[in-house]
Amino acid sequence: MPVTKRPNGSYQVTVGFGGRTYRKTSRHWTRSAAREFEASWLQQLQGIAAGKQPERKITDAIDRWQVEHLPRLRSEKKTNSHVRALYPYVKGRKLSEVAQVWAEIKAAEIGKAPATVNHKGRILRQISRMAWREWGWLERPAAIGLLPEKPRETFLTLDQVEALARACPNAAAGDYVRLAAYTGIRRGHLLRLTAHDVRGGFIHLDRTSKTRTLQLVPLHPKVAGIAARLPLGASDDQVRDSWAKAREACGLQHVRWHDLRHTCASWLVMAGVPLHTVSEVLGHSSMAMTRRYAHLSPEHLSDAIKKMA
């Protein structure tokens, strides 16, 4: 029943019991933690064989959730970072204590942004529901009430976008700022684009990691020349560094890169583009995501009433 370290740095526990072999791998373990899990896992298997229901830990539920559910998420890497931040609070705690743990997290993280704290609450809520509904580990799910979050969207003007682009020490990073604002494409996708992806006035965007479709993003004349030169020769680190310095120089430290995508949506809506078209341009998986921008153009409500007989 060895504990082995894999080439990627994770540890794998292999347990043989009842003629079957079980394996579990985690990047969160040290060698000693993997050995502790090995002993605990074997004890659980022996208890199940003897007809005993083991007392589950929150970490047991997280481990199973990571194996069964996490790979289906589009933001697996980011969610794993939230799991790592959650571990200090849940280590050694019983699954029946999820609600109490959540109360302790909220008390310990007063002063942090509600959205940051809620990442942990969403994970606890999800594993609690799965432990109740799918695994039979709980008689009822824990009540996890998330903190109220304020909308974080910031909409920039044309002049602000241009000022940010010009303030980037790296000229290529500045052009990526312009592309992001005029196309709504996320930074990760932008940096992977090449001139081969630009054809017939459109960027052919493979959204496999998001909506799992090929999306056509129309090019505005102001950025068509930039798109023709893709890739622009700036690395992700260079773009991030230039963006941070540009925000500082323009007094817009509160603006996030993702706000360039929100800005693109706001420009389209305020120009009178129908919401369903905005949804297609941005590649939203549902109209609910696009309706966040409806308040920017209330005229469409008046137009609808005027069309009544």
Side-chain angles (χ1 to χ4, degrees), residues 104-169:
E104 293 170 4
I105 290 172
K106 289 187 291 184
E109 300 197 356
I110 290 177
K112 290 188 178 181
T116 300
V117 182
N118 282 343
H119 288 312
K120 302 177 182 69
R122 289 190 179 93
I123 294 172
L124 290 174
R125 184 169 63 180
Q126 191 161 28
I127 64 170
S128 174
R129 288 176 176 175
M130 293 183 75
W132 164 64
R133 184 182 295 120
E134 299 183 21
W135 308 332
W137 291 2
L138 289 174
E139 293 184 2
R140 62 179 63 86
I144 304 292
L146 300 179
L147 299 173
E149 298 181 24
K150 294 181 180 179
R152 297 179 62 190
E153 292 89 349
T154 296
F155 307 121
L156 302 172
T157 65
L158 289 166
D159 289 341
Q160 286 175 320
V161 168
E162 186 58 30
L164 285 165
R166 290 180 180 275
C168 285

Side-chain angles (χ1 to χ4, degrees), residues 57-248:
K57 298 289 196 299
I58 296 176
T59 49
D60 295 334
I62 291 177
D63 288 341
R64 183 165 178 176
W65 175 74
Q66 285 183 296
V67 171
E68 297 182 3
H69 180 71
L70 194 56
R72 297 198 295 268
L73 296 181
R74 294 168 183 164
S75 54
E76 181 180 358
K77 184 176 180 180
K78 186 179 293 185
T79 303
N80 266 321
S81 69
H82 300 321
V83 169
R84 288 192 291 272
L86 177 61
Y87 257 86
Y89 292 102
V90 302
K91 187 174 181 181
R93 303 296 293 273
K94 301 174 185 176
L95 187 56
S96 58
E97 297 179 290
V98 165
Q100 182 181 339
V101 169
W102 174 231
E104 293 170 4
I105 290 172
K106 289 187 291 184
E109 300 197 356
I110 290 177
K112 290 188 178 181
T116 300
V117 182
N118 282 343
H119 288 312
K120 302 177 182 69
R122 289 190 179 93
I123 294 172
L124 290 174
R125 184 169 63 180
Q126 191 161 28
I127 64 170
S128 174
R129 288 176 176 175
M130 293 183 75
W132 164 64
R133 184 182 295 120
E134 299 183 21
W135 308 332
W137 291 2
L138 289 174
E139 293 184 2
R140 62 179 63 86
I144 304 292
L146 300 179
L147 299 173
E149 298 181 24
K150 294 181 180 179
R152 297 179 62 190
E153 292 89 349
T154 296
F155 307 121
L156 302 172
T157 65
L158 289 166
D159 289 341
Q160 286 175 320
V161 168
E162 186 58 30
L164 285 165
R166 290 180 180 275
C168 285
N170 185 304
D175 280 342
Y176 275 125
V177 169
R178 296 182 180 95
L179 266 179
Y182 279 92
T183 65
I185 298 175
R186 296 176 176 84
R187 182 177 60 228
H189 283 126
L190 280 177
L191 294 175
R192 292 196 295 269
L193 292 174
T194 69
H196 176 75
D197 300 310
V198 182
R199 302 189 296 278
F202 291 86
I203 290 177
H204 294 241
L205 183 63
D206 182 1
R207 284 192 179 276
T208 302
S209 65
K210 282 290 180 181
T211 56
R212 308 185 189 284
T213 59
L214 180 66
Q215 180 191 351
L216 297 181
V217 181
L219 278 169
H220 191 283
K222 286 187 177 180
V223 293
I226 297 174
R229 295 187 280 108
L230 288 168
L232 303 179
S235 68
D236 185 54
D237 286 342
Q238 289 173 325
V239 171
R240 288 175 183 270
D241 182 63
S242 284
W243 173 248
K245 291 176 179 176
R247 290 187 305 166
E248 182 76 26

Side-chain angles (χ1 to χ4, degrees), residues 1-5 11-17 21-26 29-47 59-60 63:
M1 296 178 285
V3 170
T4 56
K5 189 171 185 179
Y11 283 93
Q12 178 173 284
V13 172
T14 303
V15 173
F17 184 80
T21 300
Y22 303 87
R23 291 184 178 86
K24 166 66 180 169
T25 304
S26 176
W29 288 332
T30 60
R31 181 174 291 277
S32 61
R35 291 194 180 281
E36 288 178 11
F37 179 82
E38 177 190 22
S40 173
W41 198 10
L42 181 58
Q43 187 176 18
Q44 287 182 22
L45 291 172
Q46 291 170 338
T59 49
D60 295 334
D63 288 341

